[in-house]
Amino acid sequence: MSVLGVRHHGPGSARAVRRELERLRPDIILIEGPPEADALIAHAPGLEPPVALLAHVPGAPSRAAFWPFAAFSPEWQAILYGTSAGIPVRFCDLPAAHSLAEDPGEEPAEALASGPAEGQAGGSAEAPAGGRAEGVVGGRAGEAAGGITGPSPGELAGRPGNGDVGRPGGGLAGSGDGVAGRPGGEAGDTGGEAGDTGGGATQDPREQPAAQAGPGKARIDPIGALAAAAGYDDPERWWEDVVEHRGVVEHRGGDTPFAVIAEAMAAVREGYRPDEREARREAYMRKTIRTALKQGFTRIAVICGAWHVPALTAPFPPAAADNALLRGLPKVKAELTWVPWTYGRLASWSGYGAGITSPGWYHHLFEARDRPIERWLAQAAEVLRDEGLAVSSAHVIESVRLAEALATLRGRPLAGLGEVTEAARAVLCEGDDLAVELIQRRMVVGDRLGHVCDGVPMVPLQRDLRDRQRKLKLKPEALDREIDLDLRKPLDVGRSNLLHRLRLLGVGWGTPGQARGKGTFRETWTLRWRPEHDLALIEHAALGTTVVAAAAQRARDLAATGTATLADLTGLVEQCLLADLPEALPDVLGALSAKAALDTDVTKLMAALPAMVRAHRYGDVRGTSAEGLEVIVRSMLERICVGLPVAVTGLDDDAAADLLKHVDAVHSAVALLDAPDAGTPAGRAVSAAGAPPAGGAARDEARGSGTARGRWMATLRGISDRQDLHGLIEGRLARILLDAGELHDAGDRMARAMSRGQAPARAAAWVEGFLAGGGLLLVHDPRLLGLVDEWLTGLSREQFTDVLPLLRRTFGAFAAPERRAVGERLRAAGRDEGAGRDDVDERRAAPAVATVLSILGGTAPAARSRG
């Protein structure tokens, strides 16, 4: 039997495993991972990495775990070798059925006298430690601890309703992401301590305090100790030099390092006593090995985390002792499948403790058969040229020389990422950090997204989404991609409906943005596929077999919850129309109508109305029926008009500003409400309710109380004449009525508001509310400009200092051309006023006056009298 200790996601380890397997020619290969996935191994040759095994508990999707693989993962290469050579391949770690069933609130039964620290990101041995995991359902994926192998992904299992991390489970030498969390993607705190194998997503120990993790549980760093013994101050660099860069290039060859790794791990683990969870994992691995021996296999190859090698080499402890550890473990029904993964999720900065900081770089090292440094820097030059930067072949040659020189000076067998990055910064990028960041994003991490073939088991909802993606020509990608949709085209309408339906299901594949240009027929989306979206689809698989059926049922469920607020329900109506879910709309409208009838808070009604009006108009472009909305919208508006006069009484500054936002939103919504033409579905709905479509003579008729606009403007007119209004509210109402042609004494109102009898603070608030719509009004109305100017110039020094913040906020909101035009108007008015003043010097003008009088034939006194 041969035990090959590896570090997950290492190109050198992957090459070494492949060479060693070809040399050993085993009759069975055992890999650290969940045994339930044995049946899925046959699909591996048809997959395109990066991919991941996903384990989940049906009905409890918050209990889930991932085991990611890249092309340069040693376990992946072992799987490919075994399937191509016809050799049986099995997983040998603790089953996911046990790891996902463990109670995350339990404490380990045994304490450690001492134990290794958690693995360092990308370079240290698997180390038991507690850390932090992130929830995956509807949010971000949390990842398990790791190092050389790290605790396995399956070691993190959450229970519904909290974000705690579960107990140990299976893993690919710590490869996978154990994920546990509450819906919504909130971060869940781990329940483990140092010494717990996979009790939480291990963080880099360089980011954690070096204090004791608990009584008798001192943290140590095994790889750090080995690196220090070799004279290295960086464990990551030591591991790369000794293992990963060893034999990366085929012609450099070299012996496999597994014997040395096993000896080193045995020395580090001397005197170490594993905790209960780690002991169970290793007991199950030994049990799987014993089963293979009993079945007649003699040349057994075990691929596991380097940390486990001493525990899996002879002599084994008695089988009875291992069986006693495994007896009575809790168990749940776990289902597994393959899902696509991304290099971004593989990176350690994403929270994946067994990850690496540079998956793109490692992929390059694994794929490059010769001259990896030259090829890497040539690709970096190509990336920079694509962005319009001038990079020549001479730059590439000099950067290669610099990288190799740095590696030689530092005693490294091969230039690492640090050396090539420094060379690229100095030569290719000429010191520009933005260009270096571009290389980092495009090449060091990479945008690779894996692919899963059609034969892999999927829930019907996943398969339906894949079919819809093909029909709508939307390919999942790992990097952000922006698309513009024209809702007048059937293909783009289908795309928009699909993206909105997925958002309703918590699958944020697309993020809506600000559409370019005008018109309601345009949408802009930013698309980015994330691995956890598959888990969200599995979570909602019980809602329906298709995306449209599941989204409709999800909308009904959300509407039926008693905790949904009025704003939630109005937003849900809007989502149903955007997603084209007419079958769910009646239930949602019913819940909305009941909630609106009972809600007495005017501000809540005002906050909910704009979304309802927008939903009413979506039928214009999408062709979605909005029947039933008109009655609810007008009922809400009527209640707003009745309650608003009371709501504006006795407001302080903050409350007035908050209410003003709602007033503006309702005013804009009312303008939309009466806007559709009679030929549109929304216009027909308005006409059916007895309101004429706006436009032409109907716009004049809208001033009456028969339309929504007429009712709203009548309410504002009635409020605007009150004397108990806050200055901000009074000024804003005056401006709204003036712009609508409903006010003809704006100058008189401004004069009263800024008279000497008013407090300067209230006058400034009035001006702020009045001018909130923009400064062009002052440009085109000299009287209003003169009133503001006269009021400002009449303030005392103390009064001006008091109102200056309000004035800055008011005039600072004007666009630059507006401020410039106002200034020019004031300057011109000053010149005109100066030209009209009598500045004549009568003594100097007397001779000229006498001459003129003599010409006119009159005497000076008479002329003066006539003048």
Side-chain angles (χ1 to χ4, degrees):
M1 183 182 70
S2 301
V3 182
L4 310 183
V6 299
R7 164 200 183 182
H8 195 56
H9 312 316
S13 298
R15 287 189 184 277
V17 164
R18 190 68 181 245
R19 288 199 303 270
E20 186 69 2
L21 292 177
E22 292 171 351
R23 185 185 69 83
L24 293 173
R25 297 189 178 276
D27 51 9
I28 188 173
I29 299 173
L30 303 180
I31 298 174
E32 190 176 341
E36 297 96 333
D38 287 350
L40 299 174
I41 292 177
H43 296 286
L47 308 182
E48 181 183 340
V51 292
L53 284 171
L54 166 61
H56 65 98
V57 178
S62 58
R63 293 194 176 198
F66 291 98
W67 286 260
F69 296 86
F72 50 84
S73 299
E75 297 85 359
W76 183 254
Q77 289 302 313
I79 290 174
L80 294 184
Y81 172 79
T83 53
S84 63
I87 300 173
V89 180
R90 301 176 186 172
F91 289 111
C92 64
D93 205 345
L94 194 69
H98 295 312
S99 63
L100 296 180
E102 293 286 355
D103 183 0
E106 289 182 359
E107 287 299 325
E110 302 180 31
L112 292 177
S114 64
E118 62 271 23
Q120 294 195 16
S124 53
E126 173 181 357
R132 182 172 181 79
E134 298 181 65
V136 69
V137 181
R140 298 168 293 172
E143 286 85 14
I148 288 181
T149 63
S152 78
E155 294 167 355
L156 300 181
R159 60 184 169 192
N162 65 29
D164 292 342
V165 178
R167 294 306 181 191
L172 298 171
S175 60
D177 311 359
V179 194
R182 57 177 70 88
E186 298 179 14
D189 293 330
T190 65
E193 301 178 12
D196 299 342
T197 305
T202 304
Q203 297 175 348
D204 190 329
R206 288 169 287 189
E207 300 176 359
Q208 296 188 5
Q212 298 280 340
K217 297 184 180 181
R219 294 178 179 178
I220 65 170
D221 177 8
I223 295 302
L226 294 173
Y232 282 73
D233 57 359
D234 184 356
E236 168 73 12
R237 187 161 57 90
W238 174 82
W239 179 263
E240 287 193 346
D241 288 350
V242 174
V243 179
E244 301 307 332
H245 289 172
R246 180 189 180 98
V248 165
V249 184
E250 286 290 346
H251 71 269
R252 298 192 183 185
D255 298 331
T256 56
F258 299 112
V260 177
I261 292 175
E263 183 179 354
M265 291 298 108
V268 173
R269 280 188 62 139
E270 186 175 354
Y272 168 71
R273 182 184 177 188
D275 75 340
E276 184 178 16
R277 286 175 290 177
E278 184 178 359
R280 287 173 177 172
R281 291 184 59 209
E282 293 175 346
Y284 197 92
M285 294 181 201
R286 291 190 292 265
K287 179 180 178 180
T288 307
I289 295 172
R290 292 190 188 98
T291 300
L293 291 171
K294 290 179 181 179
Q295 292 174 349
F297 295 104
T298 56
R299 301 189 309 277
I300 301 174
V302 181
I303 315 298
C304 68
W307 180 254
H308 296 301
V309 171
L312 302 183
T313 53
F316 284 178
D322 287 343
N323 291 335
L325 280 173
L326 300 172
R327 190 176 298 118
L329 289 179
K331 187 176 182 180
V332 294
K333 180 183 178 181
E335 296 182 359
L336 283 83
T337 187
W338 290 106
V339 296
W341 204 249
T342 66
Y343 275 176
R345 284 295 183 196
L346 203 61
S348 58
W349 51 260
S350 71
Y352 173 32
I356 51 177
T357 58
S358 49
W361 165 252
Y362 272 12
H363 179 90
H364 171 78
L365 289 182
F366 182 76
E367 295 292 337
R369 296 296 175 178
D370 64 331
R371 309 178 74 86
I373 307 305
E374 292 86 341
R375 295 180 184 277
W376 174 267
L377 290 170
Q379 292 176 17
E382 183 178 356
V383 168
L384 297 177
R385 288 193 199 102
D386 290 341
E387 296 298 322
L389 300 179
V391 180
S392 67
S393 56
H395 285 88
V396 177
I397 294 172
E398 290 303 319
S399 61
V400 170
R401 289 175 178 172
L402 178 56
E404 292 178 345
L406 289 172
T408 301
L409 289 173
R410 296 168 182 175
R412 307 196 68 178
L414 179 72
L417 181 61
E419 286 73 30
V420 296
T421 300
E422 291 180 36
R425 174 181 283 106
V427 182
L428 299 182
C429 304
E430 298 180 350
D432 185 355
D433 287 337
L434 291 178
V436 177
E437 177 62 26
L438 179 64
I439 297 174
Q440 166 76 20
R441 185 173 63 255
R442 295 275 186 88
M443 296 180 61
V444 177
V445 175
D447 57 354
R448 189 177 296 268
L449 172 67
H451 177 72
V452 174
C453 58
D454 292 336
V456 172
M458 295 182 184
V459 296
L461 191 57
Q462 288 177 293
R463 197 167 298 282
D464 178 68
L465 175 58
R466 178 168 291 195
D467 293 340
R468 297 299 303 166
Q469 288 171 336
R470 290 197 191 99
K471 292 178 181 178
L472 297 174
K473 301 177 182 179
L474 286 176
K475 181 181 179 182
E477 295 176 332
L479 281 185
D480 291 345
R481 180 168 73 94
E482 190 173 283
I483 61 172
D484 293 316
L485 302 181
D486 185 341
L487 301 181
R488 297 169 296 183
K489 300 178 180 178
L491 178 64
D492 285 354
V493 171
R495 290 174 172 178
S496 175
N497 291 338
L498 176 64
L499 294 173
H500 281 293
R501 290 166 185 169
L502 291 175
R503 284 175 61 83
L504 195 57
L505 292 172
V507 180
W509 178 23
T511 303
Q514 185 66 37
R516 300 183 180 91
K518 297 181 179 180
T520 59
F521 58 86
R522 294 187 180 278
E523 279 187 352
T524 297
W525 292 83
T526 301
L527 304 184
R528 184 177 187 181
W529 186 262
R530 301 178 184 275
E532 59 266 28
H533 294 336
D534 284 291
L535 186 57
L537 290 171
I538 293 173
E539 175 189 4
H540 295 100
L543 298 177
T545 59
T546 63
V547 174
V548 61
Q553 186 58 46
R554 176 65 173 165
R556 295 190 193 98
D557 293 346
L558 291 174
T561 60
T563 58
T565 65
L566 188 62
D568 294 335
L569 291 173
T570 53
L572 189 58
V573 170
E574 192 173 7
Q575 285 182 290
C576 288
L577 291 175
L578 288 168
D580 191 15
L581 300 174
E583 61 273 24
L585 199 55
D587 294 330
V588 180
L589 287 177
L592 174 64
S593 180
K595 178 68 72 172
L598 297 175
D599 204 321
T600 58
D601 191 335
V602 175
T603 57
K604 289 183 179 179
L605 292 170
M606 296 177 75
L609 184 69
M612 289 295 297
V613 174
R614 288 195 304 268
H616 182 272
R617 285 184 56 80
Y618 283 140
D620 297 350
V621 176
R622 299 170 181 273
T624 305
S625 175
E627 295 180 3
L629 286 177
E630 176 70 15
V631 175
I632 299 175
V633 168
R634 289 188 174 273
S635 174
M636 292 173 62
L637 179 60
E638 183 64 29
R639 297 181 62 201
I640 290 172
C641 291
V642 171
L644 186 59
V646 179
V648 297
T649 303
L651 301 179
D652 60 12
D653 293 343
D654 293 336
D658 185 62
L659 182 63
L660 195 60
K661 295 177 183 177
H662 293 307
V663 170
D664 286 337
V666 171
H667 184 66
S668 300
V670 168
L672 290 176
L673 187 60
D674 286 331
D677 294 330
T680 65
R684 289 192 296 271
V686 174
S687 299
R699 191 172 292 111
D700 297 330
E701 184 182 344
R703 295 191 178 188
S705 59
T707 63
R709 179 183 180 278
R711 180 70 177 94
W712 172 247
M713 297 307 297
T715 301
L716 297 187
R717 280 198 306 270
I719 297 174
S720 65
D721 294 328
R722 288 169 44 176
Q723 302 299 317
D724 60 342
L725 296 179
H726 189 281
L728 189 66
I729 299 294
E730 183 181 351
R732 185 62 187 143
L733 293 183
R735 177 61 182 274
I736 291 175
L737 293 170
L738 177 64
D739 290 345
E742 302 285 341
L743 191 67
H744 305 290
D745 59 345
D748 296 338
R749 289 173 182 261
M750 178 178 281
R752 287 197 302 269
M754 295 187 297
S755 64
R756 293 187 178 275
Q758 298 287 353
R762 188 185 188 282
W766 197 98
V767 171
E768 180 182 4
F770 186 79
L771 297 180
L776 287 178
L777 183 64
L778 297 180
V779 177
H780 298 295
D781 194 327
R783 184 190 176 194
L784 296 181
L785 179 60
L787 289 171
V788 175
D789 184 47
E790 182 180 355
W791 171 70
L792 279 175
T793 55
L795 293 175
S796 66
R797 182 185 301 271
E798 294 76 12
Q799 291 173 335
F800 182 79
T801 302
D802 292 338
V803 301
L804 183 58
L806 290 177
L807 296 175
R808 281 180 172 172
R809 184 169 61 194
T810 301
F811 292 98
F814 293 174
E818 293 179 354
R819 292 198 299 269
R820 188 181 309 111
V822 170
E824 290 174 354
R825 288 285 185 180
L826 290 172
R827 194 161 38 245
R831 287 196 297 267
D832 294 341
E833 182 180 351
R837 288 199 301 266
D838 187 6
D839 294 333
V840 178
D841 187 339
E842 293 187 3
R843 184 182 60 82
R844 296 179 62 187
V849 171
T851 302
V852 172
L853 290 175
S854 65
I855 294 174
L856 295 175
T859 61
R864 192 175 293 111
S865 175
R866 288 194 299 270

